[in-house]
Amino acid sequence: MNTDFEAFKEHLSWLIHPSQIDAVSETEIRLSSKFTDTFPILTELITQARVLSLDIDHQPHHLFSWTNKNNEIFGWLTKTESDFTSPLPFIEEHKLLLNEIGGIRESFNQPDPSFSNNQEFMFTGSECSAGINDWNDYYEEQCSDENKRPMDYKNFISFVVEANGAATVYDPKTKEVFLFSHDHAFDNVDFLENQPEYTFHTFHTITSFVDYVEALAQEWKNEII
């Protein structure tokens, strides 16, 4: 019995029925030099992980597991989509992440606080969308009400969506990252200058997509014993 797999099933029993899971085996993730150069903190985190390969509904996944300071197993379930193509203008760093470890479908026993908390998905190519996750009308109304010029957001990539609908997006032209949220229950963001409040936010210590990924990895890395 694999203790990582059992911990995963226990914590995410609401998400996946055991009958959906097949072909569980231990594996190793080989990261390219381009990946390790782009994401050094994430590389350290991944190299410390215990990794299982598993199929869920005939779709390849990886379970990355670590042991935290409370001697609890915590981890990511990532979905790999080798045959996936998209018309969205993903930046190279995003594609690199997806190609080598996949997008995060779910996490368990995550640090608190962490970017991974309460998210519907993170990075997964087939879940990403253009724009701001159906907040178009709300945003346009806020801009009109406050006489603010809307950002050119329609080609932004929504790559993380929170359970309350908040979206983390990046501009594929500049690789800048923003949070779009209708509330402000966040300690690490500020309202974007010259934009209506409770729309676009900037992160305190994060500018780019790579910054965001590395900050997430650091949050998890800090918890490993």
Coordinates of all heavy atoms in Angstrom, one line a residue, residues 115-174:
F115 N -1.1 30.4 -2.6 CA -1.8 30.6 -3.8 C -2.7 29.4 -4.2 O -3.6 29.6 -5.0 CB -0.8 30.9 -5.0 CG -0.2 32.3 -4.9 CD1 1.2 32.5 -4.9 CD2 -1.0 33.4 -4.8 CE1 1.7 33.7 -4.8 CE2 -0.4 34.7 -4.8 CZ 0.9 34.8 -4.8
S116 N -2.3 28.3 -3.8 CA -3.1 27.1 -4.2 C -4.4 26.9 -3.4 O -5.2 26.0 -3.8 CB -2.2 25.8 -3.9 OG -1.8 25.7 -2.6
N117 N -4.7 27.7 -2.4 CA -5.9 27.5 -1.6 C -7.1 27.9 -2.4 O -7.2 29.0 -3.0 CB -5.8 28.3 -0.3 CG -4.7 27.8 0.6 OD1 -4.1 26.8 0.3 ND2 -4.5 28.4 1.7
N118 N -8.1 27.1 -2.3 CA -9.5 27.4 -2.8 C -9.5 27.6 -4.3 O -10.4 28.3 -4.9 CB -10.1 28.6 -2.1 CG -10.2 28.4 -0.6 OD1 -10.6 27.4 -0.2 ND2 -9.8 29.4 0.1
Q119 N -8.6 27.0 -5.0 CA -8.5 27.1 -6.5 C -9.3 26.0 -7.2 O -9.1 24.8 -6.8 CB -7.1 27.2 -7.0 CG -6.2 28.3 -6.3 CD -6.7 29.7 -6.5 OE1 -7.7 30.0 -7.1 NE2 -5.9 30.7 -6.1
E120 N -10.0 26.4 -8.3 CA -10.6 25.3 -9.1 C -9.6 24.6 -10.0 O -9.7 23.4 -10.2 CB -11.7 26.0 -10.0 CG -12.8 26.6 -9.3 CD -13.7 25.6 -8.6 OE1 -13.8 24.5 -9.2 OE2 -14.3 25.9 -7.6
F121 N -8.6 25.3 -10.4 CA -7.5 24.7 -11.2 C -6.3 25.7 -11.2 O -6.5 26.9 -10.9 CB -7.9 24.3 -12.6 CG -8.0 25.5 -13.5 CD1 -7.0 26.0 -14.3 CD2 -9.2 26.2 -13.6 CE1 -7.1 27.1 -15.1 CE2 -9.4 27.3 -14.4 CZ -8.3 27.8 -15.2
M122 N -5.1 25.3 -11.5 CA -4.0 26.1 -11.7 C -3.2 25.7 -12.9 O -2.8 24.5 -13.0 CB -3.1 26.1 -10.5 CG -3.8 26.4 -9.2 SD -2.6 26.6 -7.8 CE -1.9 28.2 -8.0
F123 N -3.1 26.6 -13.9 CA -2.3 26.4 -15.1 C -2.8 25.5 -16.2 O -2.4 25.6 -17.3 CB -0.8 25.9 -14.7 CG -0.2 26.6 -13.6 CD1 0.1 25.9 -12.4 CD2 0.0 28.0 -13.6 CE1 0.6 26.6 -11.3 CE2 0.6 28.6 -12.5 CZ 0.9 27.9 -11.4
T124 N -3.7 24.6 -15.8 CA -4.1 23.5 -16.8 C -4.6 24.0 -18.1 O -5.6 24.8 -18.1 CB -5.2 22.6 -16.1 OG1 -4.8 22.3 -14.8 CG2 -5.5 21.4 -16.9
G125 N -4.0 23.6 -19.2 CA -4.3 24.2 -20.5 C -5.7 24.1 -20.9 O -6.2 25.1 -21.4
S126 N -6.4 23.0 -20.7 CA -7.7 22.9 -21.2 C -8.7 23.7 -20.4 O -9.9 23.9 -20.8 CB -8.2 21.4 -21.2 OG -8.1 20.8 -19.9
E127 N -8.3 24.1 -19.2 CA -9.2 24.9 -18.3 C -9.0 26.4 -18.5 O -9.8 27.2 -18.1 CB -8.9 24.5 -16.8 CG -9.2 23.1 -16.5 CD -10.7 22.8 -16.4 OE1 -11.5 23.7 -16.5 OE2 -11.0 21.6 -16.4
C128 N -7.9 26.8 -19.1 CA -7.6 28.2 -19.3 C -8.5 28.8 -20.3 O -9.1 28.1 -21.2 CB -6.1 28.4 -19.8 SG -4.9 27.9 -18.6
S129 N -8.7 30.1 -20.2 CA -9.6 30.8 -21.1 C -9.1 32.2 -21.4 O -8.2 32.7 -20.7 CB -11.0 30.9 -20.5 OG -11.0 31.6 -19.3
A130 N -9.6 32.8 -22.4 CA -9.2 34.2 -22.7 C -10.1 35.2 -21.9 O -11.3 35.0 -21.7 CB -9.4 34.5 -24.2
G131 N -9.4 36.3 -21.5 CA -10.2 37.3 -20.8 C -10.1 37.1 -19.2 O -9.1 36.7 -18.7
I132 N -11.3 37.4 -18.6 CA -11.3 37.6 -17.1 C -12.4 36.7 -16.5 O -13.1 37.1 -15.6 CB -11.4 39.0 -16.7 CG1 -12.6 39.7 -17.5 CG2 -10.1 39.8 -16.9 CD1 -12.8 41.2 -17.0
N133 N -12.6 35.5 -17.1 CA -13.5 34.5 -16.5 C -14.9 35.0 -16.3 O -15.5 35.0 -15.2 CB -12.9 34.1 -15.1 CG -13.7 32.9 -14.6 OD1 -14.1 32.0 -15.3 ND2 -13.8 32.8 -13.2
D134 N -15.5 35.5 -17.4 CA -16.9 35.9 -17.4 C -17.2 37.1 -16.6 O -18.4 37.4 -16.3 CB -17.8 34.7 -17.0 CG -17.7 33.5 -17.9 OD1 -17.5 33.7 -19.1 OD2 -17.9 32.4 -17.4
W135 N -16.2 37.9 -16.3 CA -16.5 39.2 -15.5 C -16.6 40.4 -16.5 O -16.5 41.5 -16.0 CB -15.4 39.4 -14.5 CG -15.4 38.5 -13.4 CD1 -14.5 37.4 -13.1 CD2 -16.3 38.5 -12.2 NE1 -14.9 36.8 -12.0 CE2 -15.9 37.4 -11.4 CE3 -17.3 39.3 -11.9 CZ2 -16.6 37.2 -10.2 CZ3 -18.0 39.1 -10.7 CH2 -17.7 38.0 -9.9
N136 N -16.7 40.1 -17.8 CA -16.7 41.2 -18.8 C -17.7 42.3 -18.5 O -17.4 43.5 -18.4 CB -16.9 40.6 -20.2 CG -15.8 39.6 -20.6 OD1 -15.4 38.8 -19.8 ND2 -15.4 39.7 -21.8
D137 N -18.9 41.9 -18.3 CA -20.0 42.9 -18.1 C -19.8 43.7 -16.8 O -20.0 44.9 -16.8 CB -21.4 42.2 -18.1 CG -21.8 41.6 -19.4 OD1 -21.2 42.0 -20.5 OD2 -22.7 40.8 -19.5
Y138 N -19.4 43.0 -15.8 CA -19.2 43.6 -14.5 C -18.0 44.7 -14.7 O -18.2 45.8 -14.2 CB -18.8 42.6 -13.4 CG -18.2 43.1 -12.2 CD1 -19.0 43.7 -11.2 CD2 -16.8 43.1 -12.0 CE1 -18.4 44.2 -10.0 CE2 -16.2 43.7 -10.9 CZ -17.0 44.2 -9.9 OH -16.4 44.7 -8.7
Y139 N -17.0 44.2 -15.3 CA -15.8 45.1 -15.5 C -16.2 46.4 -16.3 O -15.9 47.5 -15.9 CB -14.7 44.4 -16.1 CG -13.4 45.2 -16.4 CD1 -12.8 46.0 -15.4 CD2 -12.9 45.3 -17.7 CE1 -11.7 46.8 -15.6 CE2 -11.8 46.1 -17.9 CZ -11.2 46.8 -16.9 OH -10.1 47.6 -17.2
E140 N -16.9 46.1 -17.4 CA -17.2 47.3 -18.3 C -18.2 48.2 -17.5 O -18.0 49.5 -17.7 CB -17.9 46.7 -19.5 CG -17.1 45.8 -20.4 CD -16.0 46.6 -21.2 OE1 -16.0 47.8 -21.2 OE2 -15.1 45.9 -21.7
E141 N -19.1 47.7 -16.7 CA -20.0 48.6 -16.0 C -19.2 49.4 -14.9 O -19.5 50.6 -14.8 CB -21.0 47.7 -15.3 CG -22.1 47.1 -16.2 CD -23.0 46.1 -15.5 OE1 -22.8 46.0 -14.3 OE2 -23.8 45.5 -16.2
Q142 N -18.2 48.7 -14.3 CA -17.4 49.5 -13.3 C -16.6 50.6 -13.9 O -16.5 51.7 -13.4 CB -16.5 48.5 -12.5 CG -17.2 47.5 -11.7 CD -18.0 48.1 -10.6 OE1 -19.2 48.0 -10.6 NE2 -17.3 48.6 -9.6
C143 N -16.1 50.3 -15.1 CA -15.3 51.3 -15.8 C -16.2 52.5 -16.2 O -15.8 53.7 -16.1 CB -14.6 50.7 -17.0 SG -13.2 49.6 -16.7
S144 N -17.4 52.1 -16.7 CA -18.3 53.2 -17.1 C -18.8 54.0 -16.0 O -18.8 55.3 -16.0 CB -19.5 52.5 -17.8 OG -20.5 53.5 -18.2
D145 N -19.1 53.4 -14.8 CA -19.6 54.1 -13.7 C -18.5 55.0 -13.1 O -18.8 56.1 -12.6 CB -20.0 53.1 -12.6 CG -21.2 52.4 -12.9 OD1 -22.0 52.8 -13.8 OD2 -21.5 51.3 -12.2
E146 N -17.2 54.7 -13.2 CA -16.2 55.5 -12.6 C -15.4 56.3 -13.7 O -14.4 56.9 -13.3 CB -15.2 54.6 -11.8 CG -15.9 53.8 -10.7 CD -14.9 53.1 -9.8 OE1 -13.7 53.5 -9.8 OE2 -15.3 52.2 -9.1
N147 N -15.9 56.2 -14.9 CA -15.3 56.9 -16.0 C -13.8 56.6 -16.1 O -12.9 57.4 -16.3 CB -15.4 58.4 -15.8 CG -15.2 59.2 -17.1 OD1 -15.3 58.7 -18.2 ND2 -14.7 60.5 -16.9
K148 N -13.5 55.3 -16.1 CA -12.1 54.8 -16.2 C -12.0 54.1 -17.5 O -12.9 53.4 -18.0 CB -11.8 53.8 -15.1 CG -11.8 54.4 -13.7 CD -10.6 55.3 -13.5 CE -10.7 56.0 -12.1 NZ -10.5 55.0 -11.0
R149 N -10.8 54.2 -18.2 CA -10.6 53.5 -19.4 C -10.3 52.0 -19.2 O -9.4 51.7 -18.5 CB -9.4 54.2 -20.1 CG -9.1 53.6 -21.5 CD -8.0 54.3 -22.2 NE -7.7 53.8 -23.5 CZ -6.8 54.2 -24.3 NH1 -6.0 55.3 -23.9 NH2 -6.6 53.7 -25.5
P150 N -11.1 51.2 -19.8 CA -10.9 49.7 -19.7 C -9.5 49.3 -20.2 O -9.0 49.9 -21.2 CB -12.0 49.1 -20.5 CG -13.0 50.1 -20.7 CD -12.3 51.4 -20.7
M151 N -8.9 48.3 -19.5 CA -7.7 47.7 -20.1 C -8.0 46.9 -21.3 O -9.2 46.4 -21.5 CB -7.1 46.8 -19.0 CG -6.6 47.6 -17.8 SD -5.8 46.4 -16.6 CE -4.3 45.9 -17.4
D152 N -7.1 46.6 -22.1 CA -7.2 45.7 -23.3 C -7.0 44.3 -22.8 O -5.9 43.7 -22.9 CB -6.2 46.1 -24.3 CG -6.4 45.3 -25.6 OD1 -7.4 44.6 -25.7 OD2 -5.5 45.3 -26.5
Y153 N -8.0 43.7 -22.2 CA -7.9 42.5 -21.4 C -8.4 41.2 -22.2 O -8.2 40.1 -21.7 CB -8.8 42.6 -20.1 CG -10.3 42.7 -20.4 CD1 -11.0 41.5 -20.5 CD2 -10.9 43.9 -20.6 CE1 -12.4 41.6 -20.8 CE2 -12.2 44.0 -20.8 CZ -13.0 42.8 -20.9 OH -14.3 42.9 -21.2
K154 N -9.0 41.4 -23.3 CA -9.6 40.3 -23.9 C -8.7 39.2 -24.4 O -9.1 38.0 -24.7 CB -10.6 40.7 -25.1 CG -11.7 41.6 -24.5 CD -12.8 41.9 -25.5 CE -13.9 42.7 -24.9 NZ -15.0 43.1 -25.8
N155 N -7.4 39.5 -24.6 CA -6.4 38.4 -24.9 C -5.6 38.0 -23.7 O -4.7 37.2 -23.9 CB -5.5 38.9 -26.0 CG -6.1 39.0 -27.4 OD1 -7.0 38.1 -27.7 ND2 -5.8 39.9 -28.2
F156 N -6.0 38.5 -22.5 CA -5.3 38.0 -21.3 C -5.6 36.5 -21.2 O -6.7 36.0 -21.6 CB -5.8 38.7 -20.1 CG -5.3 40.1 -19.9 CD1 -4.5 40.7 -20.9 CD2 -5.6 40.8 -18.8 CE1 -4.0 42.0 -20.7 CE2 -5.1 42.1 -18.6 CZ -4.3 42.7 -19.6
I157 N -4.8 35.8 -20.5 CA -5.0 34.3 -20.3 C -5.3 34.1 -18.8 O -4.6 34.5 -17.9 CB -3.7 33.5 -20.6 CG1 -3.3 33.7 -22.1 CG2 -4.0 32.0 -20.3 CD1 -4.3 33.3 -23.1
S158 N -6.5 33.6 -18.6 CA -7.0 33.3 -17.2 C -6.4 31.9 -16.9 O -6.9 30.9 -17.5 CB -8.5 33.3 -17.2 OG -8.9 32.9 -15.9
F159 N -5.4 31.8 -16.1 CA -4.7 30.6 -15.8 C -4.9 30.0 -14.4 O -4.5 28.8 -14.2 CB -3.2 30.7 -16.1 CG -2.4 31.6 -15.2 CD1 -1.7 31.0 -14.1 CD2 -2.4 33.0 -15.4 CE1 -1.0 31.8 -13.3 CE2 -1.7 33.8 -14.5 CZ -1.0 33.2 -13.4
V160 N -5.5 30.7 -13.6 CA -5.9 30.2 -12.2 C -7.3 30.8 -11.9 O -7.5 32.0 -12.1 CB -5.0 30.7 -11.1 CG1 -5.4 30.2 -9.8 CG2 -3.5 30.2 -11.4
V161 N -8.2 29.9 -11.5 CA -9.6 30.4 -11.1 C -9.9 29.9 -9.7 O -9.8 28.7 -9.4 CB -10.7 29.9 -12.1 CG1 -12.1 30.2 -11.6 CG2 -10.4 30.6 -13.5
E162 N -10.3 30.8 -8.9 CA -10.7 30.5 -7.5 C -12.1 30.1 -7.4 O -12.9 30.4 -8.3 CB -10.4 31.8 -6.6 CG -10.5 31.5 -5.1 CD -10.2 32.7 -4.3 OE1 -9.8 33.7 -4.9 OE2 -10.2 32.6 -3.0
A163 N -12.5 29.4 -6.3 CA -13.8 28.9 -6.2 C -14.9 30.1 -6.2 O -16.0 29.8 -6.6 CB -13.9 28.2 -4.8
N164 N -14.5 31.3 -5.8 CA -15.4 32.4 -5.8 C -15.5 33.1 -7.2 O -16.1 34.1 -7.3 CB -15.1 33.4 -4.7 CG -13.8 34.2 -4.9 OD1 -13.1 33.9 -5.9 ND2 -13.6 35.1 -4.1
G165 N -14.7 32.6 -8.1 CA -14.7 33.2 -9.5 C -13.6 34.1 -9.8 O -13.4 34.5 -10.9
A166 N -12.8 34.5 -8.7 CA -11.6 35.4 -9.0 C -10.7 34.7 -9.9 O -10.5 33.5 -9.9 CB -10.9 35.7 -7.7
A167 N -10.1 35.5 -10.8 CA -9.2 34.9 -11.9 C -7.8 35.5 -11.8 O -7.7 36.8 -11.7 CB -9.8 35.1 -13.2
T168 N -6.8 34.7 -11.8 CA -5.4 35.2 -12.0 C -5.1 35.1 -13.5 O -5.3 34.0 -14.1 CB -4.4 34.4 -11.2 OG1 -4.9 34.4 -9.8 CG2 -3.0 35.0 -11.3
V169 N -4.7 36.2 -14.1 CA -4.5 36.3 -15.5 C -3.1 36.8 -15.8 O -2.4 37.4 -15.0 CB -5.5 37.2 -16.2 CG1 -7.0 36.7 -15.8 CG2 -5.4 38.7 -15.7
Y170 N -2.6 36.5 -17.1 CA -1.4 37.2 -17.5 C -1.7 37.8 -18.9 O -2.5 37.3 -19.7 CB -0.2 36.3 -17.5 CG -0.2 35.1 -18.4 CD1 0.0 35.2 -19.8 CD2 -0.4 33.8 -17.9 CE1 0.0 34.1 -20.7 CE2 -0.3 32.7 -18.8 CZ -0.1 32.9 -20.1 OH -0.1 31.8 -21.0
D171 N -0.9 38.9 -19.2 CA -0.9 39.5 -20.5 C 0.1 38.8 -21.3 O 1.3 38.9 -21.0 CB -0.6 41.0 -20.3 CG -0.6 41.8 -21.6 OD1 -0.6 41.1 -22.7 OD2 -0.6 43.0 -21.6
P172 N -0.3 38.1 -22.4 CA 0.7 37.4 -23.2 C 1.8 38.3 -23.9 O 2.8 37.8 -24.3 CB -0.1 36.6 -24.2 CG -1.4 37.3 -24.3 CD -1.6 37.9 -22.9
K173 N 1.5 39.5 -24.0 CA 2.5 40.4 -24.6 C 3.6 40.8 -23.6 O 4.7 40.9 -24.0 CB 1.8 41.7 -25.1 CG 0.8 41.5 -26.2 CD 0.1 42.8 -26.7 CE -0.9 42.5 -27.8 NZ -1.5 43.8 -28.2
T174 N 3.2 41.1 -22.4 CA 4.2 41.5 -21.4 C 4.6 40.5 -20.3 O 5.5 40.7 -19.6 CB 3.7 42.8 -20.7 OG1 2.5 42.4 -19.9 CG2 3.3 43.9 -21.6

